[in-house]
Each structure stands twice: as structure tokens, then as C-alpha cells.
Amino acid sequence: MHLERIDPEGRGRFAFLAYDQGLEHGPEDFRGNPEAVSPRLVLDLAHAHGYTAVVLQQGPALATRDLHPDVLRLIKLNGKAGIAKGDPYSPLLCPVEYAVKALRAVAVGYTLYPGSEHEGRMFAEFAEVVRQAQAFGVPAVAWVYPRGKAVQNDTAPEVVAYAARIAYELGADIAKVKWSGTLDSFRWVCESAADTKVVLSGGVLTEDPREFLDVVDKVMKAGGAGVAVGRNVWQRPRAAAAAISKEIITRVRM
Amino acid sequence: MHLERIDPEGRGRFAFLAYDQGLEHGPEDFRGNPEAVSPRLVLDLAHAHGYTAVVLQQGPALATRDLHPDVLRLIKLNGKAGIAKGDPYSPLLCPVEYAVKALRAVAVGYTLYPGSEHEGRMFAEFAEVVRQAQAFGVPAVAWVYPRGKAVQNDTAPEVVAYAARIAYELGADIAKVKWSGTLDSFRWVCESAADTKVVLSGGVLTEDPREFLDVVDKVMKAGGAGVAVGRNVWQRPRAAAAAISKEIITRVRM
Amino acid sequence: MHLERIDPEGRGRFAFLAYDQGLEHGPEDFRGNPEAVSPRLVLDLAHAHGYTAVVLQQGPALATRDLHPDVLRLIKLNGKAGIAKGDPYSPLLCPVEYAVKALRAVAVGYTLYPGSEHEGRMFAEFAEVVRQAQAFGVPAVAWVYPRGKAVQNDTAPEVVAYAARIAYELGADIAKVKWSGTLDSFRWVCESAADTKVVLSGGVLTEDPREFLDVVDKVMKAGGAGVAVGRNVWQRPRAAAAAISKEIITRVRM
Amino acid sequence: MHLERIDPEGRGRFAFLAYDQGLEHGPEDFRGNPEAVSPRLVLDLAHAHGYTAVVLQQGPALATRDLHPDVLRLIKLNGKAGIAKGDPYSPLLCPVEYAVKALRAVAVGYTLYPGSEHEGRMFAEFAEVVRQAQAFGVPAVAWVYPRGKAVQNDTAPEVVAYAARIAYELGADIAKVKWSGTLDSFRWVCESAADTKVVLSGGVLTEDPREFLDVVDKVMKAGGAGVAVGRNVWQRPRAAAAAISKEIITRVRM
Amino acid sequence: MHLERIDPEGRGRFAFLAYDQGLEHGPEDFRGNPEAVSPRLVLDLAHAHGYTAVVLQQGPALATRDLHPDVLRLIKLNGKAGIAKGDPYSPLLCPVEYAVKALRAVAVGYTLYPGSEHEGRMFAEFAEVVRQAQAFGVPAVAWVYPRGKAVQNDTAPEVVAYAARIAYELGADIAKVKWSGTLDSFRWVCESAADTKVVLSGGVLTEDPREFLDVVDKVMKAGGAGVAVGRNVWQRPRAAAAAISKEIITRVRM
């Protein structure tokens, strides 16, 4: 466990600014705020507002290697396009060593889809990512989204709690999971993660920022360790993105 | 064969406290006794009652590395979530070397699903685990659960006996199999395992502890070498878990 | 990013002469202009007209190693025949190191089929190609063609924009994509690629050269970085191929 | 070709005592003669009657490493349980090097299922086993059983002859195949194997030993090199097993 | 390109005596001329008549290592049995290094099935074979047979021409393809192969030798480089096999 790289004071609070949606969803996510099509916006926001780290794939990390050297980077190690249907497989695209040595990663991320017929390859890859992250002294963050025929509702409390637990069992330092709907159920999600910290997956843009901020409040009260937010920030114009960033970071109280 | 690591006096009796259900079944298994959501409970119980070893996946083993150094650890090397239906594949998540060197394993475990269409990958992985375990001087324990379209009843005596035999043929030191229903049939299970020791897979919580303890008695009379029990211990409140632990260990007579 | 190998003056304009159709489509593509069946024609054209590089598979590159040493070579690293139906997989056929050291590559190319059920293997292979290209100091060019059941129209603007973005997210220096139909939509394609340069995939022969050249003009006005053209050049007789080559290169204004 | 390890006088005759049925068929094969559940019986028989070698999987070989050091061991390198239906795949479970160095193998065996949709993986693994066996100076024995939708009758002469030929084409020293029904047809089987020796696969227990011994006689007359027999020996009580062992070895005239 | 190993005078003419049918078709191919069941016949013929090389799999090559050291050997590196239906996969069975160092190969061969759903694995394996062959100084020969649902007629001129082109694109020195039916169409086949030499795949026995020899004549007139013939030679009795061998070699005019 090497959380000190992204949490030097040991406060156990994290606010990640997620920017891997260009691969996962495509540029349609940037249509409403075209400035967001370049990673410069999120790097500026992280620089100005003190996000724990910006989440980038290999490509944007390479292209912006020299921008805002003060902004920490969590490199997302696996990914897939959002085109194909069927049970998802998100392969390792970038090894931990390259992320750390060439892309200045101080943390690494990997998405797990438990319940997919390809679950085993992702579990095995992530378990190895955990060991590599240990070796290179950076924390491993698991995005965990149960999928597949047996998953009727991927925000049901028992499904989200299972997601958090899987992250713990495989050795993740931090689990990123969906909102389970209520403060009480999310408390069980956080307890299920045992020693692994739980952060909220920001999800789709809520028109009224207070709606999202209210969820953040509940996450923190439930024992959550923070958020990994993307669209709820950078799908707003720069001024509104700055405003909600301040609110988020205040609530996470890092 | 390196059973001396977990059986220094060579008595051939084993009582493992299994705690890999968080991955295999999810946190629903901890609902009835929420304290069990953390591995501290099972580590405390093992410390107090002298279980042979606690069974942990990589994640909990990492998180509790410094707790109860006297408690021996059997690291479960493969695993899967209990979400997907269909023929199971449980991939190697943790190599033997890492289990021994980084997680203080004195034994390693691996689940085989004979009859699954993915059987071959698991047989090959486990056969290699056996050789690695030899090289690192720790015993290899096989969880063996026949599955797939051709398996109508996975507790039928001939199915359980075949499970035990597969463990032997691949080189397991210990086989963990289900209860075959009667003392006589379980005697054949133990004989089928030849030189491999057989331990009972504890299974679901029996409301009356005596029901479970009666099975343990029969296993020992049938020539079994002990148990690997989880839910029948830690799904009970701490005091009741302590009580049944004493009873189990007395019956196994280690 | 090592574009200097194919763009020493840093003008950011590229005109590739593509000649990998013998594998992708078969010799039927050469029927109309049989001279094109040998790579000598495209090497002559590149020598005479100053294309950025000629695109070759391993075989033709080996066979013509000593021809026109002044002509730069982009080695296409993966490929498949155009016979099988179903979701495409185009495997790595030639490692970056061999392309650079044995085939004199100054750039490397790889085709991605996002949306194919085999997408993951190609994404992972290309992400590694990007890192190898970095290590060997050559740019990586991604051919990106969304495919599969979920892709109704592979020239729809949002599909082409997603293609360009995928190239960026994985770390391509240049993305080769299809024409999205209008100047405005192609501008969004180029913006979606962020720091990655976008070149037009030349596509099928247009009977009237002006039709193709008009598209090239729009690509450049939309922010494109050039073209990768094949059939629109070498499916014409040598004189006409020379004539359109001059027109293309003038329009790309390298 | 290193047959001298199991045939120092170069007589070209072999009688293997097969004991890999515990994995392939399960302990039901031992029900009729429960003593056979332990490999001690076959080791005793081989010690007393001079079988060429006993056939063991990794597990029994490990467990009996120090028993009857005079008995030679052929380690079966691949295997599968007999539970799953469908096209068989029998993966490599034990590398040649481990068999030779750790398990005292003087010969190695591998089962091929030509016609299975997984044929290719087995052919490739066995071809490598042949090369490894060459390197370690031990003969490679191929069990060859055509399977799959296209195989109506796996003892038809042309099917058994093809099995023997495949062993030869891949480089086996010895092919183990089923009885093709007649002396004449088995002569063609042996001729089809060219330089590869052919031994009979013993098959199920025949109630009257003479029935089996009659087949052995025909095999030898047809040009066969011997037998690999299991159930027809150890499914009989120890005395009867000894008696038929003498008869078999006399007929093979090693 | 290292054709000098099999063509020291640079005449560009080749007559291979193919003997890999034992694996591909089974011993039924030898029924009509049982002497052909042993590779001694083809080695004798090659010795007497000056074939460029004999084509052997690993097994026969091992068994006949010391026979006719003057006869050159082309080792067939991949193969499959002719039992299973469905899209073919013919895996690499023997690495180039072993073929050259242990089996005295002066050339290597590999069968490609473009259009098969397993095409990608074969293309990737063969592209690596080409590079290994370069490294070891021997020519690489591609057997190319389009297959799969999309291939209605595998001797249609455009199909055979595509086959020849694929060999070229992947870097084969020589392509072995089927007869396309007419001299004119075969000329296009040869042109499609560009720098790669084209040899005729001999195919099934023609009752009248003149029928086959007439095809050989047309192949040579069409620009072909020779033949790879098997059944049309060794399915005839030794004297007739010798006679047609002379005729073939005269026509190829090596």
C-alpha cells in the first residue's frame, strides 16, 4: 500500500479528476463543452483546484508530458471503446513500469468487470497490476463495474458492495464504484471494502450541480474516501467547472 | 510434499479457517455477522484457538500482513466472483513465489473445477502450482469441485471420490472436497485420494452447530485429515464462533 | 512523438502512398492497372513526386530493400486478407524492431477495428507498438476503422470522430480515418484527435480525379494533416498517377 | 530416438503397465479391486514381472518417488478428467524436464486427440515434447485416439492406421493405439507407423484373460512392438494380475 | 531471400517432392502403392532424379536423418490431420531453428489458410517464420489454400491469384498454389506474386501422367517456377514414379 504518493499527510481523502472518457465513450462526451476535447482543460482545473490526480490514458499522458508538472497523474492502464456490445473485456494497454517511468504516474488504475465472461483475464491482470504497483511504490485503483447476463441492476446495493469487496480481495488500495442509491447502503459498501478506500464514480452530468454534491456529501458521511469525477466537472463550461470543483474538494475535505 | 510447514509434529490433522468467501460469494456472506467483514475476526479466532492456518486471498493478506504474526497463512492463489453463470474458470491470481515471499504463505491453495470446459487451464495451472510449491517448500492444497453439464449432483459419492483422486493425480498434498453424505462413502473418498490427505469443505451454515460437528466426526472416522471451515464459524457471533472453533479442533484432534 | 523522422521541417503535413492493398483486398485491385502489381510503380512515384513515405507490408519491403533508397518507408505492422467475413482481427505480423532495423522503416502503421469482438487484442498490440515506436524513435500511425454489429455506418461523423479519438487515447502520432462526408464534421474529427494528426484514408478510385482532390481540399481546410492515398493514385495509368500525385501534394502543401 | 533407455538390448519389444486411469476415468476403475487404488500394486507387479515401465501422472510419481527404485517410470505428461463431454483437450501438465529430473522418468507419454477441435494445441505441444525428449535423452510415447464429430468409429482400421501415422509424422518413438479388430488390419496400422513402434492400448477388462491374450498374440504377429496394459491387469485380484502379467510378458517376448 | 541454398546457380526453377500427406491425409494415400508408406521411396527418387528437395515433417525427418545425405530437405513446419471439419488451423509444430540445426533443413514450409477464422494466427506465425528463415539463411515456402465460408471455389483464378499475393505480402520466397485452370489465368497468378516464385501444387493423382505433365508445361509457360508434387509421383509404382519424375524435371528444366 503506497497511498503516501497521493496522500502525503495520510488524511485518506481523494478527489480524482477522471479523463478517460474519450476512449470509453468517445468524443460525444465533449460535444457540450468542446474545450474539454483537449486534456489541457482538466490539467488546468487540477492545477487550480488541487485535485488529487488527473486520470489519463497513455496517449494523452504522452502528449501532455510537460504540462503542469505539479499536477499528479493516475494512469489508466486498461480500456476499451464503448462500441461493441456483449460481455466486456478491457485489456491491459499500458504496463505499470511504463506508466511510472515514462508517464510520471503516481498511481495506476484498472477497470474490472466482474460477471463478464472475460472476468478471469481482468482479475488476473489486475492482481498482477497490484503486485507491480507495490514494486514501483504507487497505489492501485480499481474501477469495479459488475456486468453480464446475471447483473440485472448494477447499482443495486449488494452489487455495489460486491464490487467494492472484489477490489479488496484482489489487493486494490482504492475502489471506484457506483452510487448505491442511499447513504445507508453505501455505508455497507464501504464496510465491505474493509481496508480498501472507496471513492464514488462520478457518473453522468447532473443538470443541477447540487444534486451531485448532495451525493458526494452522503458518500463522505457513509465512510467513503472521496470521488473520481469527470463529466460532472468538465461537461460544464470552464467557470462552472471551476465552481463545482471547489465545492467537491471542500466536501471531500482533503 | 512439505506438510511439515503446517504440521511440524507429523500428526496428519488439519483445521483450516477459510476466508476466501468475500471474493467467491461476496459480502452477503458477512451480513449475518457484520464483524466478519474484516479479516481481523478470523485472525483473532485462529490466534485464540489454534487453527492450522487462515485461508486468505492476496488482498486481505496484504492488508493484514502485520497482524497476529503467529497465525499461519494459506494463500488462495486463484479465485473468481460468484456472479457469472456457465462453466467456471478460476484463474491464477497470485504466483506461489509472491505468496511465499511477500505474503508469508506456509501453504497455498487452488480451486479446480473438473468437468468445466475450462478444466484444462486449471489442471495445467495447478500442476505448475504443485511444482512451484515443491520448490518453495510449502504444501499445495486443492479445492476440488466438479462442475458442468455432465455433473448432475456434485455431492454424489462417485463425484466426490473422483474430485479427491484428481487432487492426488495432479500432486496435491491435501484435497478439500464436499461431504459425500455418509461415513461409508466418505471412506471411499479418502481411499481414492491415496497419499493425498482429505479435508472436508465446511459449506453453508448449519443452524444447529451439532449438525456440522456430527459431519466432522464422521469425516475423521472415515479417514479424513480434518476440515477447512469458514461460514460455520464466522457467520456466528464471536462467542459462538469461539465455541464451535473449540469443538471442531477437539474433534480434529490435531 | 518522433514525427521529425518523416517531417524534418516540422510542417505537420503528410502524404503517404499506401500500398498494403495487395494483402487487404488482393490482386483484383491491380487488374485495372497491371503495372501496379509490382511495388516498383509506387516506389517510382514516391521518388518522383516527394510523397512522405510509401506504405508496405514486410514482404514487398524485403523484396525491394535496395530500390530507391531515398524513398522513406512506413511499414504496416499488421494485416489480414479480405476473404473472411465476421468481426475482423488483424494481428501484428511484424515487430517494430524488425521494421526499423531490417526494413528501414522511418514510421510504422497498425490497423485498429474498434467495435470488433477482437478489439481488445488490437488495442493492446497497438498500445505496445506505440511504446516500441517511442523506443526506436519512429512515429506510430493508426489506421482506425470501427466495425462490428453495432456500427451501422462507418463514415458517420460521430463514428469517424471516435476513430480519431481512439488513436489519440492509445498514443498514435497520426490517425488515418475515413472521410466523414462534410468539411464541418471533419473539423470535429480533427478536434477529437487533439494532439494526434489526422490524415484522410484515400478509399476507392473516383473516376474523376477532381472529386477526390476536392475532398483533399476540404480535409486540409478542416484541420487535417494530409492524406494516405493508394488506389486513387496507382489504379490510374502511370501518367495519370503522376498527374494526380502532383495535385495531391500541392494541396497537402507539405 | 532414445529407446535404449527402456530397451537396452534393442529388442524392440515393450510392455508398459498403464496407471493413469485414476485421472482419465476416476476411482470407479478401482472399485472392483480396491487394492488398485494405490499405485503400490502396480509398482509391485512391475517389480515382480519385469514390465518395461509403469505409467504414472505427476502426483503418484511424486508420492511414490522412493518405492521400487528398480521399476522404470514413464511419466504421462498430459491428462484430463473424464467428466466433460465435447471435443477433448488434454493439456500438458508436466514438462519433460521436470519428469526426467524430479520424477525419474526414463520415458514420457502424451495423449493426442486428432479430429478434436483442439487438435492443434495438442499437436504443437507434443511436437515440442518430442524435441524436449530428444534433448533429455528419453523416448516419447504418443497415445493417439481420433475423436470428434467426424470420427464415427474410433477402432475402424483406417482410423487406427491414421492414429499410428500421426504419431510417426510428429516424431514419436512409440505409438499407443487401439485394436483395429483383425490381424490383417493391424499389420497395416504397424506399417503406417513406419519407423515408429506400435503398442496396443489394453482397453477395458475382458472377463476371460485368454480373450485379451489372443489380441496380444495377433498384435505381435502383425508387427506390433508390445502393449500398454492397465485395467486388464490391475482390475484383477493380485494373484490373477500376476498370472496375466506373466502371460503378457511371455507373449511380448521382450 | 536465400534461394541460393536450394538454387545455387540461380536458375529460379524448383521441383519439390512433397511427402507431408501422411499427416494431412493419412495413410490412405499410400494404399495404392504401399511402398510409399516409408519415406525411403521418396528419398530414393529424389536421390536418383535430382529433385530440389524432399518435403518432410519433423517425424520422418528425424527417422531418416542419416539416409541419402545428398538429398536436400524442406521441413514442413506446420500441419494438421485431415479429420476435423470446419475452418482449418494448422499450428507451427517445429521451429525454424530446430528444422535447420537438427533436421538439416535447407528450406522451410508453412501452410496458410486465408479466409479461415484462424487466419490471423497462421499469418502471424508465418511472418515470424519468414524472419527466422532470413536469420538462418534458408528460403521460406508458403503453401497457400484459401478456405472458409466465403470461399466457394478454391481454384477460381482470382482466389489462386490472391493466394499467391498473400505469400508475397508476408515475405515468402516461394508460393505453392493450386492450378487455376488455364495458362492465361495462371500467368496472372504468377504476376500477382510479384517477386515471389510460384510453384504448382501437384494435387491428386491423374490416371494418365500426360494430363499432369500438360499442366506442368502450362505452369512453366505462364511464368511459374516449378512444381511441388507428391501423389502424382509416389502413388505410382516405383518404375512409373521414376518415369514421371524424369518428365517433370525435364519440363521444369532446372
Side-chain angles (χ1 to χ4, degrees):
Chain A
M1 310 264 167
H2 298 269
L3 286 169
E4 64 275 13
R5 292 294 295 276
I6 55 173
D7 181 24
E9 298 176 30
R11 307 200 52 204
R13 299 299 175 85
F14 309 95
F16 298 105
L17 188 50
Y19 190 71
D20 58 335
Q21 291 83 351
L23 181 57
E24 300 291 333
H25 307 154
E28 286 303 299
D29 268 20
F30 308 128
R31 280 276 192 193
N33 181 29
E35 190 191 6
V37 85
S38 161
R40 280 150 197 82
L41 174 61
V42 294
L43 290 166
D44 288 351
L45 289 167
H47 170 70
H49 300 288
Y51 279 99
T52 305
V54 167
V55 176
L56 298 174
Q57 282 281 351
Q58 168 177 286
L62 274 170
T64 65
R65 229 173 344 192
D66 302 324
L67 284 182
H68 289 309
D70 61 305
V71 173
L72 299 185
R73 284 139 188 262
L74 183 160
I75 298 299
K76 187 74 190 313
L77 302 179
N78 70 336
K80 64 176 201 56
I83 299 171
K85 306 302 170 205
D87 277 24
Y89 173 51
S90 183
L92 189 81
L93 299 174
C94 179
V96 174
E97 181 168 10
Y98 188 81
V100 171
K101 293 194 176 167
L103 305 178
R104 302 202 288 111
V106 295
V108 292
Y110 187 101
T111 302
L112 298 164
Y113 295 110
S116 162
E117 62 182 45
H118 309 296
E119 170 195 294
R121 299 161 74 182
M122 293 178 277
F123 277 24
E125 283 188 0
F126 180 63
E128 171 68 15
V129 160
V130 166
R131 293 186 294 271
Q132 290 290 315
Q134 293 273 336
F136 286 100
V138 296
V141 183
W143 275 231
V144 198
Y145 304 129
R147 292 281 168 86
K149 285 176 210 79
V151 180
Q152 304 290 336
N153 174 4
D154 71 347
T155 60
E158 68 275 13
V159 171
V160 181
Y162 202 166
R165 184 71 187 191
I166 287 165
Y168 176 57
E169 293 282 339
L170 300 183
D173 295 283
I174 299 174
K176 176 177 183 271
V177 298
K178 295 201 171 178
W179 174 233
S180 60
T182 63
L183 195 156
D184 270 3
S185 68
F186 207 78
R187 183 170 288 131
W188 177 241
V189 169
C190 295
E191 288 169 7
S192 294
D195 304 279
T196 295
K197 310 289 182 196
V198 174
V199 299
L200 175 74
S201 181
V204 299
L205 182 71
T206 59
E207 211 166 316
D208 182 345
R210 286 171 300 184
E211 201 182 319
F212 176 68
L213 294 170
D214 180 56
V215 172
V216 176
D217 277 334
K218 287 176 181 153
V219 163
M220 300 314 293
K221 278 183 196 143
V227 299
V229 63
R231 287 169 284 172
N232 258 305
V233 171
W234 48 252
Q235 283 189 346
R236 302 179 200 277
R238 189 177 272 253
I244 197 171
S245 291
K246 275 181 211 159
E247 296 287 342
I248 291 166
I249 283 163
T250 300
R251 273 159 178 85
V252 173
R253 295 178 310 275
M254 294 185 296
Chain B
M1 311 267 166
H2 298 269
L3 286 169
E4 62 276 14
R5 291 296 294 276
I6 54 174
D7 180 25
E9 298 176 29
R11 309 199 52 203
R13 300 300 173 87
F14 309 95
F16 298 105
L17 188 50
Y19 189 69
D20 59 335
Q21 291 84 350
L23 180 58
E24 300 291 333
H25 307 153
E28 286 304 297
D29 269 20
F30 309 127
R31 280 275 192 195
N33 181 28
E35 191 191 7
V37 85
S38 160
R40 278 150 199 83
L41 174 62
V42 294
L43 290 165
D44 288 351
L45 289 167
H47 171 69
H49 300 288
Y51 279 99
T52 305
V54 167
V55 177
L56 298 173
Q57 282 281 350
Q58 167 178 286
L62 274 169
T64 64
R65 228 171 346 190
D66 302 325
L67 284 182
H68 289 310
D70 60 303
V71 173
L72 300 185
R73 284 139 189 264
L74 183 160
I75 298 300
K76 188 74 191 312
L77 302 179
N78 70 336
K80 63 175 201 55
I83 300 170
K85 305 301 170 207
D87 278 23
Y89 172 52
S90 183
L92 189 81
L93 299 175
C94 179
V96 174
E97 181 169 11
Y98 188 81
V100 171
K101 294 194 175 168
L103 305 178
R104 303 203 286 111
V106 295
V108 292
Y110 187 102
T111 303
L112 297 165
Y113 295 110
S116 162
E117 62 183 45
H118 309 296
E119 169 195 295
R121 298 162 74 183
M122 293 178 277
F123 277 24
E125 281 189 0
F126 180 64
E128 171 66 16
V129 161
V130 166
R131 292 186 295 271
Q132 290 290 315
Q134 293 273 336
F136 286 99
V138 295
V141 183
W143 275 230
V144 198
Y145 305 129
R147 292 281 169 86
K149 285 176 211 79
V151 180
Q152 304 290 336
N153 175 4
D154 71 347
T155 59
E158 68 274 15
V159 172
V160 181
Y162 203 166
R165 184 72 186 191
I166 288 165
Y168 176 57
E169 293 282 339
L170 301 183
D173 296 283
I174 299 175
K176 175 176 183 271
V177 299
K178 295 201 171 179
W179 174 234
S180 60
T182 63
L183 196 157
D184 270 2
S185 67
F186 206 77
R187 183 169 287 130
W188 177 242
V189 170
C190 295
E191 287 169 7
S192 293
D195 304 279
T196 295
K197 311 288 183 197
V198 174
V199 298
L200 174 73
S201 182
V204 299
L205 181 71
T206 59
E207 212 166 317
D208 183 345
R210 287 171 299 184
E211 202 182 316
F212 176 68
L213 294 169
D214 180 56
V215 172
V216 175
D217 277 334
K218 287 177 181 152
V219 163
M220 301 314 293
K221 278 182 196 141
V227 299
V229 62
R231 288 170 283 172
N232 258 305
V233 172
W234 49 252
Q235 283 188 346
R236 302 180 201 276
R238 190 176 273 252
I244 198 172
S245 291
K246 276 181 211 158
E247 296 287 343
I248 290 166
I249 284 163
T250 300
R251 272 159 178 84
V252 172
R253 296 178 308 275
M254 292 186 297
Chain C
M1 311 265 168
H2 297 268
L3 286 169
E4 63 276 15
R5 292 295 295 275
I6 55 174
D7 181 24
E9 298 178 29
R11 307 200 53 202
R13 299 300 174 86
F14 309 95
F16 297 104
L17 188 50
Y19 189 70
D20 58 337
Q21 291 84 351
L23 180 57
E24 300 291 334
H25 307 154
E28 286 304 298
D29 269 20
F30 309 128
R31 280 275 192 196
N33 181 29
E35 190 191 7
V37 85
S38 160
R40 281 150 197 82
L41 175 61
V42 294
L43 289 165
D44 287 352
L45 289 167
H47 171 70
H49 300 289
Y51 279 98
T52 304
V54 167
V55 176
L56 298 174
Q57 281 281 350
Q58 167 178 287
L62 274 169
T64 65
R65 227 169 351 188
D66 302 325
L67 283 183
H68 289 309
D70 61 305
V71 173
L72 299 185
R73 284 138 188 262
L74 183 160
I75 298 300
K76 187 75 189 312
L77 302 179
N78 70 337
K80 63 176 201 57
I83 299 170
K85 304 303 170 205
D87 277 24
Y89 173 51
S90 182
L92 189 82
L93 299 174
C94 178
V96 174
E97 181 169 9
Y98 187 81
V100 170
K101 293 192 175 168
L103 305 178
R104 303 202 286 112
V106 296
V108 292
Y110 188 102
T111 302
L112 298 164
Y113 295 110
S116 162
E117 62 183 47
H118 309 294
E119 169 195 296
R121 298 161 75 182
M122 293 179 277
F123 278 24
E125 282 188 0
F126 180 63
E128 172 67 16
V129 161
V130 166
R131 292 187 294 271
Q132 290 289 315
Q134 294 272 336
F136 287 99
V138 296
V141 182
W143 275 231
V144 198
Y145 304 129
R147 291 282 168 85
K149 286 176 210 81
V151 179
Q152 304 289 335
N153 175 3
D154 72 347
T155 59
E158 68 275 14
V159 171
V160 182
Y162 202 166
R165 183 71 188 192
I166 288 165
Y168 177 56
E169 293 282 339
L170 301 183
D173 296 283
I174 299 175
K176 174 175 183 272
V177 298
K178 295 202 171 180
W179 174 234
S180 60
T182 64
L183 195 157
D184 270 2
S185 68
F186 207 78
R187 183 170 288 132
W188 178 241
V189 169
C190 295
E191 287 169 7
S192 294
D195 305 278
T196 295
K197 310 288 183 195
V198 174
V199 299
L200 176 74
S201 181
V204 299
L205 182 71
T206 59
E207 210 166 319
D208 182 345
R210 286 171 299 184
E211 202 183 317
F212 177 68
L213 293 169
D214 179 55
V215 172
V216 176
D217 276 336
K218 287 177 181 153
V219 163
M220 300 315 292
K221 277 182 195 143
V227 299
V229 62
R231 288 169 285 173
N232 258 305
V233 171
W234 49 251
Q235 283 189 345
R236 302 178 201 278
R238 190 176 271 255
I244 196 171
S245 291
K246 276 182 210 157
E247 295 288 342
I248 290 166
I249 283 162
T250 301
R251 273 159 179 82
V252 172
R253 295 178 310 275
M254 296 186 295
Chain D
M1 312 265 167
H2 297 269
L3 286 170
E4 62 276 14
R5 291 295 294 275
I6 54 174
D7 181 25
E9 298 176 30
R11 309 199 52 203
R13 299 300 173 89
F14 309 95
F16 298 104
L17 188 50
Y19 189 70
D20 58 335
Q21 291 85 350
L23 180 58
E24 300 291 334
H25 307 154
E28 286 304 297
D29 270 20
F30 308 128
R31 281 273 193 196
N33 181 29
E35 190 190 9
V37 85
S38 160
R40 279 150 197 82
L41 174 62
V42 294
L43 290 165
D44 288 350
L45 289 167
H47 171 70
H49 300 288
Y51 279 100
T52 305
V54 167
V55 176
L56 297 173
Q57 281 281 350
Q58 168 178 288
L62 274 170
T64 64
R65 228 171 348 189
D66 302 325
L67 285 182
H68 289 310
D70 61 303
V71 173
L72 300 185
R73 284 140 188 261
L74 182 160
I75 299 299
K76 188 75 191 310
L77 303 179
N78 70 337
K80 63 175 201 57
I83 300 170
K85 306 300 170 207
D87 278 23
Y89 172 52
S90 183
L92 189 81
L93 299 175
C94 179
V96 173
E97 181 169 10
Y98 187 82
V100 171
K101 294 192 175 169
L103 305 178
R104 303 202 289 111
V106 296
V108 292
Y110 187 102
T111 303
L112 297 165
Y113 295 110
S116 162
E117 62 183 44
H118 308 295
E119 169 194 295
R121 298 161 75 182
M122 292 178 277
F123 278 23
E125 282 189 359
F126 180 64
E128 172 66 16
V129 161
V130 166
R131 293 185 294 271
Q132 290 289 316
Q134 294 272 336
F136 286 99
V138 296
V141 182
W143 275 231
V144 198
Y145 305 129
R147 291 281 168 86
K149 286 176 211 80
V151 179
Q152 304 290 334
N153 175 2
D154 70 348
T155 59
E158 68 275 15
V159 171
V160 182
Y162 202 165
R165 184 71 187 191
I166 288 166
Y168 177 56
E169 293 282 339
L170 301 183
D173 296 284
I174 299 174
K176 175 175 182 273
V177 299
K178 296 201 170 179
W179 174 235
S180 60
T182 63
L183 196 157
D184 270 3
S185 67
F186 207 78
R187 184 171 285 129
W188 177 241
V189 169
C190 295
E191 288 169 7
S192 294
D195 304 280
T196 295
K197 310 288 183 196
V198 174
V199 298
L200 175 73
S201 182
V204 298
L205 181 72
T206 59
E207 212 165 317
D208 182 345
R210 287 170 300 185
E211 202 182 316
F212 177 68
L213 294 169
D214 180 55
V215 172
V216 176
D217 277 335
K218 286 177 182 153
V219 164
M220 300 315 292
K221 277 182 197 142
V227 299
V229 63
R231 287 170 284 173
N232 259 305
V233 172
W234 48 252
Q235 282 189 345
R236 303 179 200 277
R238 190 176 272 254
I244 197 171
S245 290
K246 276 181 211 158
E247 296 287 343
I248 290 166
I249 284 163
T250 301
R251 273 160 178 84
V252 173
R253 297 179 306 277
M254 294 184 298
Chain E
M1 312 264 168
H2 297 270
L3 286 169
E4 63 276 15
R5 292 293 295 275
I6 54 174
D7 181 25
E9 298 177 30
R11 307 200 53 203
R13 299 300 174 87
F14 309 95
F16 298 104
L17 188 50
Y19 189 68
D20 57 337
Q21 292 84 351
L23 181 57
E24 301 291 333
H25 307 154
E28 286 304 298
D29 269 20
F30 309 128
R31 280 272 193 198
N33 181 29
E35 188 189 10
V37 86
S38 160
R40 279 150 197 82
L41 174 62
V42 294
L43 289 166
D44 287 351
L45 289 167
H47 170 70
H49 300 289
Y51 279 99
T52 305
V54 167
V55 176
L56 298 174
Q57 282 281 351
Q58 169 178 287
L62 274 169
T64 65
R65 227 168 352 187
D66 302 324
L67 284 183
H68 289 309
D70 61 303
V71 173
L72 300 185
R73 284 140 188 260
L74 183 160
I75 299 299
K76 188 76 190 310
L77 302 179
N78 69 337
K80 63 177 200 57
I83 300 170
K85 305 302 169 205
D87 277 24
Y89 173 51
S90 183
L92 189 81
L93 299 174
C94 178
V96 174
E97 181 168 10
Y98 187 81
V100 170
K101 293 192 175 169
L103 305 178
R104 302 202 288 112
V106 297
V108 292
Y110 187 102
T111 303
L112 298 164
Y113 295 110
S116 162
E117 62 182 45
H118 309 293
E119 169 195 296
R121 297 161 75 182
M122 292 178 278
F123 278 24
E125 282 189 359
F126 180 64
E128 172 66 15
V129 161
V130 166
R131 292 187 294 273
Q132 290 290 316
Q134 293 272 333
F136 286 98
V138 296
V141 182
W143 276 231
V144 198
Y145 305 129
R147 291 282 167 85
K149 286 176 211 82
V151 179
Q152 305 289 336
N153 175 3
D154 71 347
T155 59
E158 68 275 15
V159 171
V160 181
Y162 202 166
R165 184 70 188 193
I166 288 166
Y168 177 55
E169 293 282 339
L170 300 183
D173 296 284
I174 299 175
K176 174 174 182 275
V177 298
K178 295 202 170 178
W179 174 234
S180 61
T182 63
L183 195 157
D184 270 3
S185 68
F186 207 78
R187 183 171 287 130
W188 177 241
V189 169
C190 295
E191 288 169 7
S192 293
D195 304 280
T196 295
K197 310 289 182 195
V198 174
V199 299
L200 176 73
S201 182
V204 299
L205 181 71
T206 58
E207 212 166 317
D208 183 344
R210 285 170 301 184
E211 202 182 318
F212 176 69
L213 294 169
D214 179 55
V215 172
V216 176
D217 277 335
K218 285 177 181 153
V219 163
M220 301 314 292
K221 277 182 196 141
V227 300
V229 63
R231 288 169 284 173
N232 259 305
V233 172
W234 49 252
Q235 283 188 344
R236 302 179 201 277
R238 190 176 272 255
I244 196 172
S245 291
K246 276 181 209 157
E247 295 288 342
I248 290 165
I249 283 162
T250 302
R251 272 160 179 84
V252 172
R253 296 177 308 276
M254 296 186 298

